[in-house]
Amino acid sequence: MANAFFVLDGDDNTLYFGREQDDGPQSFASFAAAERRAKKAADCEPGTRFKIVEVKAIVMCPVLPAKTFRR
């Protein structure tokens, strides 16, 4: 699995691109790129702490179809 870094704002929400038609969470391939984005965001919101997190593992559980029954 390739490295993936995300920047979280003060409420632990992932920073998004914020563009129309392509709005999604920003991910970065290197810590340096994530750090640059975090510093840019911190300049816009003084006093807010930003976190850089790295994805170490992804765990998924399959979702089964809902079971319906009548009484």
Side-chain angles (χ1 to χ4, degrees):
M1 181 170 82
N3 289 351
F5 294 90
F6 294 90
V7 178
L8 306 181
D9 65 9
D11 296 326
D12 289 339
N13 297 315
T14 306
L15 296 185
Y16 275 68
F17 287 111
R19 297 183 299 217
E20 287 187 32
Q21 308 297 327
D22 190 24
D23 193 25
Q26 289 182 306
S27 64
F28 304 92
S30 69
F31 180 84
E35 185 179 28
R36 283 192 300 274
R37 178 63 176 104
K39 287 180 179 179
K40 187 175 179 181
D43 286 342
C44 296
E45 296 182 46
T48 301
R49 295 175 126 189
F50 289 87
K51 298 176 187 175
I52 300 172
V53 296
E54 180 181 12
V55 175
K56 290 290 188 179
I58 297 174
V59 179
M60 297 179 68
C61 178
V63 178
L64 302 175
K67 293 182 180 180
T68 305
F69 62 92
R70 295 180 186 224
R71 293 185 182 196

